Amino acid sequence: MWLAAAVPSLARRLLLLGSPPPPLLLLLSRSSSRRRRLHSLGLAAMPEKRPFERLPTEVSPINYSLCLKPDLLDFTFEGKLEAAAQVRQATNQIVMNCADIDIITASYAPEGDEEIHATGFNYQNEDEKVTLSFPSTLQTGTGTLKIDFVGELNDKMKGFYRSRYTTPAGEVRYAAVTQFEATDARRAFPCWDEPAIKATFDISLVVPKDRVALSNMNVIDRKPYPDDENLVEVKFARTPVMSTYLVAFVVGEYDFVETRSKDGVCVRVYTPVGKAEQGKFALEVAAKTLPFYKDYFNVPYPLPKIDLIAIADFAAGAMENWGLVTYRETALLIDPKNSCSSSRQWVALVVGHELAHQWFGNLVTMEWWTHLWLNEGFASWIEYLCVDHCFPEYDIWTQFVSADYTRAQELDALDNSHPIEVSVGHPSEVDEIFDAISYSKGASVIRMLHDYIGDKDFKKGMNMYLTKFQQKNAATEDLWESLESASGKPIAAVMNTWTKQMGFPLIYVEAEQVEDDRVLKLSQKKFCASGPYVGEDCPQWMVPITISTSEDPNQAKLKILMDKPEMSVVLKNVKPDQWVKLNLGTVGFYRTQYSSAMLESLLPGIRDLSLPPVDRLGLQNDLFSLARAGIISTVEVLKVMEAFVNEPNYTVWSDLSCNLGILSTLLSHTDFYEEIQEFVKDVFSPIGERLGWDPKPGEGHLDALLRGLVLGKLGKAGHKATLEEARRRFKEHVEGKQILSADLRSPVYLTVLKHGDGTTLDIMLKLHKQADMQEEKNRIERVLGATLSPELIQKVLTFALSEEVRPQDTVSVIGGVAGGSKHGRKAAWKFIKDNWEELYNRYQGGFLISRLIKLSVEGFAVDKMAGEVKAFFESHPAPSAERTIQQCCENILLNAAWLKRDADSIHQYLLQRKASPPSV
């Protein structure tokens, strides 16, 4: 599954669009005093887990024969299940998962024997289980379990639910669609809803004859329904052995485009009616991607077809249902005229992610949710490998560092982070681990592992793993075993230090010239957002370390495995004037702190670009994080940022911009916010002038992304020339004289809104209403929060809950308000408290509620706000967001300490700069 704010995270997407990232993980000073404060707020430990038992193993399914008949007007459905089951141990009851479903009748017929009718259905709603009781013992052997039931097509975007859409003629209608991961197949039919309880599925759907009906497999029969001439029964081929969370069905109105991959697989992209053209880009990506994965894994795609479908109301970004992958419209549809470059890239990544799951997750499935990270981390890594293969011009691996690697490190530096592998019990805990640790840290450590093993042995190990466990379940250890056997390296020993303990190391390095050699002293300690690690028994990691020098910045001079707290290494033949850098390519999942002399020697490599882009990015990001943690001064980082004046690389600018956005949010709590805006203008105006507003001949994808980023940053900061030009172009766009290119819309919309009035907001809301494409609606929704007047902010918040905004997009509208200004942050928090019941009910405790909380409160920087947030959620519990709430409160305290520690010195530096501007 791709989370909506997974790569690019919502923060990064807002950044791509030229608006500020919501402050992500802002950090704090002395560990001991901060820990005391965390304890006084009760934030230091997660609450106890709820007791939970997995399903009993006496009875298990072999095949589900399932017929569902949704009513698209009354929002109900009828179901008939006939499951071939195996009784492994004599019993008089069958326990299954079941939620929001009413069972009408149930019976069990042992093979060759009489049917036994269940005499009781005992629903355990808290555990989402039902116990079917039988009057006599069910003996060991096989038989058929029959259940007739009814359910609701809910509006919660989970289980079997309804999705609202408007026909080309303007009529509102509903589709019936599914989202089962993690534990919601049980809302569509009673089942053994655990990933390790696999079976085959024969699915039939009874649907209106003018609707499209889809499921995991191809249609094998379509015939009139005997009881109603307006209905047809559509029967699908039997699936391979698979887990319940990957089952899917869709009933609605769609057009499609299709092709065959070079391996002969039928690929279709289903779009809203009249928009088939917008499916062509995703179709092209999918048709290239399937053969890429087949060759990489050396295992063929196991189904005859794959459908990719755009769903109007969809909570995640996409879901990898086997053979029927569901997407948000914005993650699948590309309009050649009206889609921006970042959307095109996003679609390529999401398609790559979901299709990787067809092997890694669907063919071989995690044994339990504890191993979710393996599914998601792996797919989040290989999607980049795939996009790099399809679109080498995207420079996508540099973008990985900004979008995934640094994001994971921000979260993992907190006391309230968690290990990659989390022991999961109760279903309510599963949603909590769909986060940046499972996805982005997971992807980052797999990238580090791939680099450590080498591509050849990695592919060999992957093939061994997929072949050995196909149609079965596996745990993390099984993958390590295959990779160890392929590479001969101590994979399990190395990787256990990364997956079973939370956090990551800070490597401190100093150097000494000894004749013609450079001697490096390395030491590792856990990196903490709150400053130097002060606990006893500091955790240790086995760290693959690469070292490069200015002699060949793109090649590792030495590779070592650091398996102890301290070590010395000798670099032969390194001249005194050559620089030495750790972590070539920013691949190792650690931060580096250099001695002053080593850092001094690296800085010219930023100005003259002799350091590769991804290393320039990593160096700046490490320094920024060390400043947030109080290990170095923030002023030192501002000085380094000024060295990026000649920077040409989009992703380096993107990361720099993100960090300046975090700092701007922090300084919005001071009275010198305008001074940091001046700094932003000084840093960004030279590149803004070089780029200009209009594409030049020979420019490509990354130039378009960079132009949007830089103009948005300058416009938001109030750069006079940018603001004037944005207003001029916006006026022409609205009047229809000169339509803005898709890549310029976000920065222009943001700029005119930030410096506009009620009329500007009204025009923007009108553009939103007129937009036919969801991408354009989302683009507008994300920037509405830039408006500054209190009454207009209130208008935007009210709009967020209106029918004009799709339920899943409300979160980014409110988050945009919170990230837009200091007043917006307060107003968004009040709005959430005032409308909590409606918001919580809307998202039913899924991961969108965590996202909403995080975006809305994390930018606060006053100690008492941490207490207020904690107190609110104690009286308004959100179980699936418990960890997020802890992390947010920790971040608020970290922000407050950062502000106390560095605000004065930052202010002095900015004033001094003003008095004598640096020569650039």
Side-chain angles (χ1 to χ4, degrees):
M1 185 157 67
W2 177 296
L3 296 194
V7 188
S9 69
L10 182 56
R12 312 280 160 171
R13 267 192 69 71
L14 286 167
L15 192 74
L16 289 173
L17 301 167
S19 52
L24 281 173
L25 305 168
L26 309 180
L27 311 173
L28 171 66
S29 72
R30 291 291 151 259
S31 292
S32 51
S33 64
R34 186 187 58 90
R35 287 202 176 91
R36 280 199 297 276
R37 203 174 299 123
L38 283 177
H39 277 290
S40 70
L41 280 166
L43 299 178
M46 287 293 291
E48 281 183 34
K49 293 189 172 184
R50 294 162 70 181
F52 173 74
E53 281 180 19
R54 282 165 71 166
L55 291 170
T57 53
E58 289 92 344
V59 183
S60 58
I62 300 162
N63 167 267
Y64 293 85
S65 180
L66 176 67
C67 180
L68 289 170
K69 182 176 166 231
D71 185 323
L72 300 176
L73 298 175
D74 288 345
F75 307 137
T76 57
F77 61 89
E78 297 169 20
K80 283 183 183 300
L81 172 66
E82 290 193 16
Q86 173 97 39
V87 178
R88 298 169 189 280
Q89 199 178 325
T91 180
N92 63 356
Q93 57 182 36
I94 295 177
V95 183
M96 303 170 76
N97 291 114
C98 180
D100 303 334
I101 278 175
D102 288 325
I103 294 173
I104 296 161
T105 61
S107 66
Y108 179 78
E111 204 170 315
D113 211 336
E114 285 183 20
E115 198 170 15
I116 307 165
H117 287 274
T119 48
F121 318 134
N122 178 21
Y123 297 95
Q124 293 112 280
N125 293 336
E126 187 78 356
D127 289 329
E128 300 181 342
K129 290 175 185 171
V130 64
T131 302
L132 309 178
S133 303
F134 294 89
S136 56
T137 302
L138 313 181
Q139 299 301 331
T140 56
T142 56
T144 304
L145 173 67
K146 291 185 182 178
I147 303 178
D148 287 1
F149 58 94
V150 291
E152 180 199 5
L153 285 176
N154 70 66
D155 59 355
K156 307 289 184 258
M157 296 187 286
K158 62 183 187 178
F160 197 13
Y161 72 92
R162 62 186 189 261
S163 170
R164 185 175 187 265
Y165 64 97
T166 306
T167 66
E171 186 190 339
V172 170
R173 290 187 185 165
Y174 290 85
V177 302
T178 56
Q179 169 58 40
F180 290 165
E181 189 179 25
T183 55
D184 291 315
R186 63 194 64 175
R187 290 174 206 284
F189 56 102
C191 55
W192 289 264
D193 199 10
E194 295 183 358
I197 308 180
K198 288 189 167 188
T200 57
F201 290 80
D202 293 307
I203 289 172
S204 299
L205 297 171
V206 177
V207 302
K209 63 184 180 188
D210 60 350
R211 296 294 194 268
V212 172
L214 300 170
S215 188
N216 304 80
M217 297 297 286
N218 48 302
V219 174
I220 52 171
D221 191 25
R222 184 184 172 96
K223 60 187 182 199
Y225 186 63
D227 300 348
D228 187 336
E229 61 179 18
N230 294 312
L231 301 178
V232 288
E233 183 172 358
V234 183
K235 198 170 183 194
F236 300 90
R238 177 168 289 189
T239 69
V241 173
M242 63 187 282
S243 302
T244 48
Y245 80 88
L246 294 166
V247 172
F249 16 92
V250 173
V251 180
E253 296 175 280
Y254 300 94
D255 285 345
F256 67 85
V257 284
E258 75 176 323
T259 189
R260 279 196 182 272
S261 73
K262 69 176 191 195
D263 304 320
V265 178
C266 177
V267 185
R268 284 184 175 181
V269 174
Y270 283 85
T271 72
V273 172
K275 296 186 178 177
E277 191 74 12
Q278 294 179 18
K280 285 186 171 173
F281 177 73
L283 186 71
E284 177 198 329
V285 175
K288 281 183 184 171
T289 297
L290 283 175
F292 171 77
Y293 287 142
K294 182 204 161 211
D295 294 345
Y296 195 86
F297 298 132
N298 199 16
V299 173
Y301 174 71
L303 306 187
K305 65 93 176 175
I306 188 156
D307 298 328
L308 293 73
I309 185 165
I311 305 292
D313 294 329
F314 198 73
M319 175 62 209
E320 69 268 18
N321 317 299
W322 216 357
L324 176 57
V325 186
T326 45
Y327 294 79
R328 274 191 185 196
E329 287 184 10
T330 48
L332 191 68
L333 304 181
I334 290 295
D335 177 339
K337 284 201 182 85
N338 293 301
S339 287
C340 60
S341 302
S342 60
S343 294
R344 198 173 289 268
Q345 177 178 301
W346 194 37
V347 168
L349 282 167
V350 183
V351 169
H353 180 101
E354 302 309 335
L355 296 196
H357 277 311
Q358 305 301 305
W359 284 262
F360 206 95
N362 300 7
L363 183 63
V364 178
T365 310
M366 68 222 148
E367 194 279 329
W368 185 244
W369 300 109
T370 298
H371 306 282
L372 170 81
W373 86 272
L374 201 55
N375 248 16
E376 298 303 349
F378 183 84
S380 298
W381 168 75
I382 206 167
E383 71 190 47
Y384 282 87
L385 199 70
C386 169
V387 167
D388 193 45
H389 164 78
C390 295
F391 303 98
E393 69 276 16
Y394 285 9
D395 182 29
I396 204 74
W397 279 116
T398 306
Q399 295 194 54
F400 174 90
V401 175
S402 180
D404 274 273
Y405 171 100
T406 57
R407 182 167 164 247
Q409 288 190 336
E410 285 161 356
L411 184 54
D412 207 26
L414 298 178
D415 285 355
N416 283 293
S417 180
H418 63 83
I420 282 179
E421 280 190 57
V422 177
S423 176
V424 172
H426 198 277
S428 69
E429 294 163 23
V430 180
D431 274 333
E432 274 197 80
I433 57 166
F434 282 95
D435 67 358
I437 299 297
S438 295
Y439 282 72
S440 298
K441 183 180 180 182
S444 299
V445 300
I446 286 171
R447 174 171 170 253
M448 176 170 71
L449 173 65
H450 173 265
D451 186 69
Y452 173 60
I453 294 177
D455 192 57
K456 189 179 163 201
D457 286 346
F458 189 86
K459 280 161 88 166
K460 188 172 145 196
M462 288 307 310
N463 173 261
M464 287 164 65
Y465 171 78
L466 289 170
T467 307
K468 181 175 179 183
F469 293 100
Q470 60 186 321
Q471 299 201 349
K472 298 192 186 85
N473 296 77
T476 304
E477 291 68 27
D478 298 314
L479 179 60
W480 297 164
E481 202 175 288
S482 296
L483 291 170
E484 201 156 297
S485 149
S487 67
K489 290 186 172 175
I491 305 303
V494 171
M495 294 308 288
N496 285 344
T497 66
W498 297 97
T499 65
K500 292 187 184 297
Q501 61 185 4
M502 74 180 203
F504 59 92
L506 170 65
I507 308 288
Y508 179 74
V509 54
E510 49 188 40
E512 190 186 347
Q513 189 75 24
V514 179
E515 295 175 357
D516 293 337
D517 304 334
R518 193 77 56 90
V519 178
L520 303 185
K521 280 187 182 166
L522 311 176
S523 60
Q524 61 160 301
K525 270 205 165 166
K526 183 179 187 301
F527 179 73
C528 298
S530 51
Y533 183 85
V534 292
E536 290 168 24
D537 303 325
C538 186
Q540 295 295 309
W541 285 264
M542 291 177 77
V543 192
I545 287 180
T546 50
I547 303 169
S548 59
T549 70
S550 47
E551 187 180 17
D552 187 350
N554 293 295
Q555 204 56 46
K557 189 171 177 74
L558 185 65
K559 290 185 174 190
I560 54 168
L561 184 66
M562 185 176 182
D563 54 2
K564 42 175 141 351
E566 294 179 359
M567 66 192 298
S568 292
V569 293
V570 178
L571 291 178
K572 294 280 183 194
N573 302 316
V574 177
K575 298 188 183 77
D577 61 347
Q578 290 179 343
W579 52 251
V580 168
K581 183 180 181 299
L582 263 62
N583 206 3
L584 172 68
T586 318
V587 172
F589 197 74
Y590 56 89
R591 292 208 180 275
T592 308
Q593 184 183 2
Y594 294 96
S595 66
S596 303
M598 285 186 82
L599 182 61
E600 276 309 309
S601 70
L602 282 166
L603 294 183
I606 293 176
R607 269 186 189 276
D608 66 19
L609 309 178
S610 58
L611 269 172
V614 71
D615 291 287
R616 300 197 294 270
L617 188 160
L619 188 63
Q620 178 267 135
N621 199 283
D622 278 351
L623 289 169
F624 189 74
S625 292
L626 290 167
R628 290 161 89 179
I631 295 170
I632 63 173
S633 154
T634 306
V635 169
E636 293 310 305
V637 186
L638 291 173
K639 288 176 182 170
V640 169
M641 285 177 170
E642 294 187 83
F644 282 86
V645 64
N646 303 315
E647 182 57 58
N649 185 281
Y650 159 69
T651 313
V652 177
W653 275 114
S654 170
D655 200 69
L656 192 69
S657 168
C658 187
N659 289 339
L660 277 171
I662 289 167
L663 196 56
S664 290
T665 299
L666 184 78
L667 299 180
S668 68
H669 297 274
T670 69
D671 55 6
F672 60 92
Y673 178 70
E674 285 312 313
E675 271 86 348
I676 192 71
Q677 299 315 302
E678 290 302 317
F679 181 85
V680 169
K681 285 186 267 189
D682 287 348
V683 169
F684 278 84
S685 48
I687 180 77
E689 279 163 31
R690 286 203 299 274
L691 284 168
W693 278 81
D694 299 304
K696 299 174 181 64
E699 282 190 353
H701 174 78
L702 293 166
D703 300 292
L705 292 182
L706 181 56
R707 179 172 288 108
L709 173 79
V710 170
L711 292 176
K713 203 74 180 171
L714 286 168
K716 183 165 187 283
H719 182 256
K720 192 163 177 286
T722 307
L723 176 55
E724 284 168 6
E725 183 64 6
R727 282 177 171 155
R728 186 186 72 75
R729 290 184 181 235
F730 181 67
K731 185 169 182 287
E732 291 198 337
H733 176 72
V734 172
E735 290 169 355
K737 288 181 187 165
Q738 179 72 52
I739 299 300
L740 280 165
S741 74
D743 285 313
L744 287 180
R745 285 182 205 171
S746 283
V748 167
Y749 293 169
L750 172 79
T751 302
V752 297
L753 262 173
K754 172 81 193 276
H755 306 281
D757 54 17
T759 310
T760 319
L761 180 61
D762 287 343
I763 294 170
M764 205 62 85
L765 291 174
K766 191 176 168 192
L767 287 177
H768 181 277
K769 199 173 183 64
Q770 290 168 349
D772 178 46
M773 199 182 178
Q774 197 54 35
E775 178 188 324
E776 177 74 355
K777 285 185 185 291
N778 284 172
R779 198 174 1 247
I780 294 167
E781 287 160 3
R782 285 197 172 98
V783 298
L784 290 175
T787 193
L788 290 177
S789 120
E791 71 187 69
L792 296 182
I793 284 172
Q794 217 45 53
K795 187 172 178 177
V796 171
L797 289 168
T798 306
F799 172 75
L801 275 180
S802 71
E803 284 208 338
E804 295 288 317
V805 178
R806 286 196 177 154
Q808 70 267 22
D809 298 321
T810 297
V811 172
S812 54
V813 180
I814 298 173
V817 170
S821 62
K822 185 180 178 181
H823 179 78
R825 196 155 39 247
K826 287 178 181 168
W829 171 232
K830 183 177 186 310
F831 185 79
I832 285 172
K833 289 187 294 183
D834 292 347
N835 295 276
W836 177 251
E837 202 170 315
E838 182 179 347
L839 288 162
Y840 189 72
N841 189 39
R842 175 180 285 205
Y843 303 121
Q844 288 286 298
F847 57 80
L848 281 175
I849 206 79
S850 296
R851 180 86 19 85
L852 178 68
I853 293 165
K854 181 182 175 64
L855 290 176
S856 304
V857 305
E858 215 166 40
F860 287 115
V862 183
D863 284 356
K864 69 171 187 179
M865 277 307 303
E868 186 181 312
V869 170
K870 177 177 179 283
F872 178 78
F873 289 111
E874 276 174 353
S875 56
H876 302 80
S880 68
E882 276 173 2
R883 194 188 306 274
T884 299
I885 294 160
Q886 305 259 357
Q887 290 164 348
C888 289
C889 292
E890 182 176 353
N891 269 318
I892 294 168
L893 296 176
L894 288 167
N895 291 348
W898 187 13
L899 204 54
K900 280 180 200 139
R901 188 178 62 239
D902 275 5
D904 286 347
S905 59
I906 294 170
H907 193 192
Q908 287 312 310
Y909 174 69
L910 294 174
L911 289 175
Q912 189 186 323
R913 262 184 101 260
K914 221 173 179 176
S916 52
S919 55
V920 290

